[in-house]
Amino acid sequence: MQKKMLTGFRPTGKLHLGHLHGNIKNMIQNQDKYENFFFLVDWHALSTEYQDTHNIKKNLIECVIDLIALGINPEFTHLYRQSDIKAIPELTLYLSMITPMSWLERCPTYKEQIRELKAKDLSTLGFFSYPVLMAADILIVNADIVPVGEDQLPHLEITREIARRFNHLYGDYFSEPKEMLSKSTRVPGTDGRKMSKSYGNAIFLSDDRNTVKKKVRQMITDPERIRKTDPGHPRVCNVFAFYKIYRDREIESIEKRCRKGEIGCTACKDELAGIISDSLEDFQEKRARLLKDKEYVYEVLKKGSQKVNIIASNTISDVRKKMGID
Ligand code: TRP
Ligand code: SF4
């Protein structure tokens, strides 16, 4: 039987360059090898955004459009919304019966997020049990491979522990999912910090040529370089970090012309902006077409959830039998 690859994605709204190099790329590159499940986790979004929910649905649709425009092909991938799979919370409930609280208490992401997101009150049951919901996302289709970033590894470990415990208590049923780690290319934002929508330093995949140019012009370069003829230090320059991502093969000559003061920073930036915009052209055309055809996007989500719901209800009926309530 074909192996199943699954990943969940937070509906953060339109995607930026930083998103490109994570699990999305892994999903797209491996799409023809597995049965694929790619879903937008609106329930997980609720666990941290419950105080201000008005963007969740809009962001989700934007995200789906971007994903399709990037190359997630609904012919090969079940693309769906977490909250359309009502068997997930049912499985979450069953799994929560067998999950010791201590596993969740010691989860490093739990402690870290409470510390990091101080402005939000995360002392809720929903946030505490986040990893159980994630385990249900994965186990509901018995996924084999889960493309994730390193930050999600503790959650995947808890998923395996829960699966093992279930199998031990009620007989073998769940397989233990393995991670597929994305080689994380750290994409800097225009201010040099990690690119993130909330830092306001992101270049969005949908940005037009002018916007990209303006944003690249704002990037911090070598502070010691005042005149064009001053020798530059590309290693401290944010623009250069982008050249490494986009022009790795020519990187030595780009480095040289900077060190020798052969090119001014403004020209260097405008050239980069052109490279970025060129690379986004196909994507933007496709995105524009999809924006005019939202019905198609809703149809994709509907079809995706119909297929997954069949698998999910099978799992639930097996689980109920295994646990002895059916
Ligand atoms: N927790 C993941 C994140 O924040 C998203 C997620 C939810 C997920 N359920 C999943 C990822 C299942 C992989 C598999 O990025
Ligand atoms: Fe950076 Fe380019 Fe200026 Fe060199 S020339 S400091 S690489 S922007």
Side-chain angles (χ1 to χ4, degrees), residues 118-267:
K118 275 215 185 71
K120 294 177 182 165
D121 178 5
L122 296 179
S123 57
T124 59
L125 185 56
F127 185 70
F128 182 61
S129 58
Y130 183 110
V132 188
L133 179 60
M134 180 158 160
D137 291 337
I138 299 170
L139 298 176
I140 197 80
V141 304
N142 238 327
D144 302 287
I145 297 155
V146 184
V148 279
E150 236 169 82
D151 61 315
Q152 296 298 315
L153 290 181
H155 297 152
L156 216 54
E157 190 53 43
I158 292 178
T159 303
R160 286 190 284 264
E161 281 174 326
I162 294 176
R164 234 173 279 145
R165 186 148 217 221
F166 183 98
N167 293 346
H168 172 72
L169 287 167
Y170 311 113
D172 257 0
Y173 183 70
F174 289 121
S175 42
E176 292 182 26
K178 286 197 181 56
E179 66 270 10
M180 179 193 271
L181 271 182
S182 40
K183 281 190 243 91
S184 55
T185 317
R186 183 181 172 278
V187 181
T190 48
D191 59 359
R193 293 189 289 171
K194 184 182 169 207
M195 188 177 283
S196 159
K197 186 175 163 186
S198 53
Y199 290 161
N201 65 1
I203 296 176
F204 292 99
L205 304 184
S206 56
D207 283 346
D208 60 25
R209 272 185 193 271
N210 244 335
T211 313
V212 173
K213 192 169 166 183
K214 255 194 243 147
K215 287 184 178 175
V216 174
R217 283 255 182 124
Q218 287 162 8
M219 282 185 190
I220 298 157
T221 60
D222 174 3
E224 286 176 29
R225 213 168 169 224
I226 295 152
R227 269 165 272 114
K228 178 188 150 188
T229 45
D230 293 343
H233 304 86
R235 282 173 206 276
V236 301
C237 172
N238 208 7
V239 176
F240 188 71
F242 274 91
Y243 272 107
K244 268 198 228 144
I245 297 171
Y246 283 90
R247 283 290 184 271
D248 196 35
R249 261 178 283 154
E250 301 150 42
I251 201 67
E252 274 166 34
S253 67
I254 294 166
E255 183 166 358
K256 217 187 278 163
R257 74 178 187 188
C258 168
R259 284 192 190 284
K260 290 194 171 160
E262 287 168 6
I263 186 170
C265 288
T266 308

Side-chain angles (χ1 to χ4, degrees), residues 274-320:
I275 293 171
I276 293 176
S277 290
D278 289 347
S279 77
L280 295 174
E281 220 164 62
D282 285 348
F283 162 84
Q284 291 183 349
E285 257 172 47
K286 204 160 173 207
R287 182 175 189 272
R289 255 184 283 138
L290 289 164
L291 273 175
K292 281 194 226 128
D293 193 5
K294 291 235 175 95
E295 283 311 307
Y296 167 77
V297 179
Y298 289 119
E299 197 53 33
V300 164
L301 288 180
K302 194 168 141 201
K303 280 210 186 113
S305 67
Q306 277 168 350
K307 293 227 178 86
V308 177
N309 270 324
I310 297 170
I311 303 170
S313 61
N314 272 330
T315 305
I316 286 294
S317 91
D318 290 346
V319 164
R320 290 173 59 96

